[in-house]
Amino acid sequence: MEYLFLILKVIIFIGLAPLLSGIITRIKNNLRFRKGPGIWQPYFNLFKLFRKDEVVSEQASWIFRSAPYIVFAATLTALMLVPALTAWPLPIFTGDFLTIIFLLSLGRFFLALAGLDPAATFGGMGSSREMFIASFVEPVVILAIFAVSLTAETTNLAIIAAFKAMHPATVLAAGALLLVTLAETSRIPIDNQETHLELTMIHEALILEYSGRSLGLLELAAYMKQILFFSLISLIVFPGWNDLASFLLKWLALGVIVAVVEISLAKMRLFRAVDWLSFAGILAIMAIMTLILGV
Amino acid sequence: MLKIPFSFVFDPLSIFFLIIIIAISISSFIYSWGYLQGHYSTAKIILGQILFVLFVFSMIAVVTAGNIFLFLIVWEIMSLVSYFLVIFDTENKKSIEAGTIYMVMTQVGTAFLLMAFLLMYRAAGSFDFNAIHAALITMSAKQKNIIFLLLLAGFGTKAGIVPLHIWLPIAHPQASSHVSSLMSGVMIKTAVYGLIRFGIIILGVNSLWWGELIVVLACVSCLVGVIYALMENDIKTLLAYSSVENMGIILLGIGSAMIFIKLGFTVLAVLAMCAGLYHLINHAIFKGLLFLGAGSVYRATGTRNIERMGGLIQKLPWTSIYFLIGSMAISALPPLNGFVSEWLILIVFFLGALAITGGLKLFFCLAAGALALTSGLTAACFVKAFGLPFLGRARSAKAENAKEVPWSMNLGAGLLALLTILLSLGAVYTVRFLVGVSGFVLAVNTSQINFSLNRFILSPQIGGTINLSTPILALILLLAGSGAFILFYLLYGKARVVIGQTWDCGYYKLTSRNEYTATGFSKPFRLAFSFFLLPFRKVTKIKESRYHVKSFSYETKTTKVFREYLYKTILGGAFGVSRNMRGLQLGSIHIYLGYICLTLLLLIIFVGKF
């Protein structure tokens, strides 16, 4: 029964992930007085891509072919470990909060290799930049996780989610995670999903050589990663509210925040991203400091 | 007359290291036949193999020696034999140079050890481990501190802790690859053995700052090692720098075990020691594997520069799989073993931060942050180390004509790849074994300590809720990946794939010159860490006329701060002193006799005083 519920939960997550992106785009366009596509557009894109033929470079090896499946599998497994949408804590026996971060880096590792595989300049550029950003994201996330886990006294997310009290440390840590989320979901000010400008793109450069089914799978994985980060932040800031209705609200609220941030900031230079992430790191350290000082 | 007993120890700690030495040695030995064949004369191959076997036996002797006198002798034999293996390519001038630096640094390290051992001997009046342990209990804290610092400097040199690491990235790449795999995989671990044997078991952790010092040094080693590794384009030097980093990770575990044992958290101390030793065995195996892989690449292409490789996944399919497994493990990707040990160390830091209040809480959190930064940078480093040589287009004619290496080389590397996977899936069994070893080291009764729920699930917090299961993770990953594949097949049929060219912006056919380079790949990191790397950059334009640039030359290099500032200063000082001492050399035998008398007098005063 519990396993059935777990699978159902993952299906709900995957089903809603593109919608979240569609809604954020919609909000952004409304705020900018633009017409823009409807909120269902990501689904149309995905189903179109799934049906299409693929063009694969003659240089590409099995790494390029298998990377989308590995990225998808890693993101799906990470999503499985997020104890959202449950009234009772699920038996999360396979991994904890830290495991989620390492699973995401498994996907990223293969994506970066796949960027180098077709011997194009853009792919290499993307993979270098992606790994650059990711290596600064990792310590921030770990510090934020530590701050949250220290308040709940465990790194098991199910317990953290059921932990009712809100704490200054968790709020600060969630702030750090929000800054990181913008980098991880390739949004302004770190990256920009809407452009294919050679000199600035990071994530889009990585997947430039992909088409058809593989591209669809990678995009779906990116949507899933976004909903995963949103869920983590929601779990941390408002623990205890774990049913579907409150989750929809929390996702929407975060979507509005992200949309507003995106339209009000300009994209940073690549090397300024370090400053952005250091700021997030300082927030996370402050979260730990509040615990030490016993605020 | 001194009586030197030939005693040996076979306790859990020795047996643990014996297992590692034997596992890596067997694989390297199988590998070496294919590697040496046809590149050296038969006589030289036999000489090389004799040295190799001697090297292995000396390492076995180091971890089983039962008294400090014997230990010091076999320690020196190990250094000497490995020196000969480093300079094996005697016609290569670089090898000789590397060998000299290695020899000097090793001797400096041994000098520190000698001092520590003499102090121990003076206190105990015996060379035997147990006798010394008994005698040291009553020693004053000040003297213990001195011995600890001497041991740390001595073994730290061998372990390659920053700033004593400079010989490691010079000497390891110069040896033959199967020897490098043994040096990086096993030899530097004997320093950890020494630190545990003498620092923890015999000396006993006396002050809190011992562990703290080791953790701080380990954090520095981690970060410095991985940043240098990222900058490197020589594949074997890259791996050597990454060894510096991984020694740091191992010492993070061991240092925190020392902190916990001093504070009285025995279960946590056992867990920390377990995590450190787990990473030790992991690193021995995957670094051995990666060095063997790098050796295969070197044999196939004739170069170690990754800028001149590319596309090797087509030419060396087996080697590429081994190298990928090694790269994934070292980048701490689940479900492989590097992930398990780094996760365990993070959990140790977490539980430490949970148990302790005040400054140490922040200390552990920051150490976790440093480890996370290291692991992120390592992943970037190994995307470079695997991606640039193996993927993309061949960047030179040599890489174009590369051929798969002989089967003996693949077999040797394959064994280690298999061990990597076994250690990943059998995490629970490994930890159960290591709990015994850690309990022995820390003198803790471990019969009640169990860090697992069943045969698949690790649970490092006893009675807690933190769980990890690599076999289940591997299964879910496999199911999810193949599930997506099958679902697509059922819904949309077989993927219709058209093979085309890489997108070239519509200009002309791309060549390998259009690919991203290794130097380009590490450029963002070079800029982000410019405060430490002090990069130097020079662009020269060769102009045909005022308006047309014929060609560019671009030159960049980073400054090795420790070599440039620390060691150059020391060497400069030493040369300066030597120059000034020249004044004493007057060439008259009477004056020299006078010097001898004076020295004797000073020594007599010294002995009388102390």
Side-chain angles (χ1 to χ4, degrees), chain A residues 61-232:
Chain A
S61 64
W62 60 269
I63 300 256
F64 182 84
R65 302 272 190 101
S66 57
Y69 294 95
I70 297 174
V71 174
F72 177 77
T75 320
L76 185 89
T77 314
L79 209 50
M80 214 173 243
L81 299 179
V82 178
L85 311 184
T86 51
W88 66 89
L90 277 169
I92 308 281
F93 44 79
T94 46
D96 63 341
F97 207 157
L98 297 166
T99 314
I100 293 178
I101 304 310
F102 283 98
L103 276 168
L104 292 178
S105 61
L106 169 68
R108 190 185 302 115
F109 187 84
F110 273 90
L111 201 55
L113 288 184
L116 287 164
D117 206 7
T121 319
F122 297 126
M125 194 186 275
S127 88
S128 161
R129 290 174 179 176
E130 174 88 2
M131 296 316 286
F132 175 65
I133 301 286
S135 50
F136 290 95
V137 162
E138 203 145 312
V140 179
V141 177
I142 296 284
L143 285 173
I145 290 177
F146 263 55
V148 174
S149 305
L150 284 172
T151 43
E153 304 194 338
T154 177
T155 58
N156 186 326
L157 259 178
I159 312 283
I160 294 172
F163 189 71
K164 298 275 180 199
M166 213 164 126
H167 193 279
T170 58
V171 178
L172 282 170
L177 275 183
L178 185 64
L179 296 183
V180 161
T181 304
L182 291 170
E184 281 284 292
T185 55
S186 47
R187 291 193 177 277
I188 289 174
I190 308 292
D191 194 359
N192 191 351
Q193 292 180 342
E194 291 168 4
T195 178
H196 274 145
L197 187 65
E198 293 90 337
L199 296 177
T200 60
M201 58 184 175
I202 300 175
H203 186 253
E204 291 297 320
L206 266 180
I207 59 171
L208 201 63
E209 280 295 316
Y210 277 106
S211 55
R213 190 177 293 182
S214 302
L215 181 61
L217 208 53
L218 285 174
E219 298 221 321
L220 182 60
Y223 295 141
M224 282 156 62
K225 192 171 167 188
Q226 170 169 288
I227 208 164
L228 181 138
F229 268 95
F230 278 29
S231 309
L232 285 181

Side-chain angles (χ1 to χ4, degrees), chain A residues 1-38:
Chain A
M1 181 62 205
E2 280 174 347
Y3 295 97
L4 211 68
F5 195 88
L6 190 69
I7 291 168
L8 189 71
K9 182 198 85 179
V10 170
I11 291 172
I12 293 176
F13 263 119
I14 297 175
L16 289 176
L19 180 64
L20 185 58
S21 241
I23 290 175
I24 293 175
T25 316
R26 181 80 253 175
I27 298 171
K28 272 164 66 182
N29 283 323
N30 281 352
L31 286 172
R32 289 191 286 209
F33 301 105
R34 285 186 190 164
K35 211 162 179 192

Side-chain angles (χ1 to χ4, degrees), chain B residues 437-501:
Chain B
V437 179
S438 312
F440 168 76
V441 168
L442 300 164
V444 173
N445 180 11
T446 54
S447 56
Q448 298 301 315
I449 298 178
N450 185 8
F451 293 126
S452 51
L453 291 181
N454 55 29
R455 273 178 290 172
F456 309 112
I457 302 173
L458 278 178
S459 178
Q461 186 187 20
I462 290 178
T465 47
I466 303 170
N467 301 325
L468 176 77
S469 168
T470 39
I472 299 179
L473 269 185
L475 189 71
I476 296 179
L477 281 170
L478 202 67
L479 282 179
S482 52
F485 188 80
I486 292 165
L487 197 67
F488 275 129
Y489 190 83
L490 293 178
L491 287 178
Y492 299 106
K494 201 170 177 298
R496 296 173 300 274
V497 173
V498 182
I499 302 293
Q501 279 182 18

